[in-house]
Amino acid sequence: FNEFFSRKEELLPKYDKKVGFEHPVKAWKVLFIGSNDAKAKKILRDLKGEENHAEVSVMVTTRQEANMDPYGDI
């Protein structure tokens, strides 16, 4: 995770070529998925303040929420 984002200028073109997307990936988001509500809340506590320094959007949800509405608001 850290290496990918610290070396993104070097690795993103290689990633785009490997996965074969029609358009290159320009924006990234990190999604942490907790196995239940308690785990998701723990992840949020552990991340508290870190999201302010992140270069990408950081989101947290539960497995149930992700399975029920994968394209919904997180």
Side-chain angles (χ1 to χ4, degrees):
F1 171 84
N2 288 334
E3 181 178 0
F4 184 82
F5 285 106
S6 66
R7 296 177 48 209
K8 67 183 172 187
E9 299 304 320
E10 172 191 347
L11 296 177
L12 284 178
K14 292 178 184 178
Y15 180 80
D16 283 340
K17 185 175 180 178
K18 181 176 181 174
V19 296
F21 290 146
E22 189 171 323
H23 299 284
V25 176
K26 297 291 182 188
W28 290 90
K29 294 182 179 185
V30 175
L31 174 62
F32 291 97
I33 300 177
S35 57
N36 56 42
D37 196 46
K39 295 287 186 181
K41 287 179 181 177
K42 180 183 182 323
I43 293 169
L44 281 172
R45 283 192 307 272
D46 292 346
L47 291 173
K48 188 172 178 104
E50 292 297 322
E51 69 278 6
N52 297 329
H53 307 292
E55 292 182 26
V56 297
S57 298
V58 178
M59 302 173 294
V60 178
T61 191
T62 64
R63 183 180 309 148
Q64 181 181 6
E65 289 173 340
N67 287 336
M68 288 178 60
D69 191 9
Y71 298 103
D73 292 337
I74 296 178

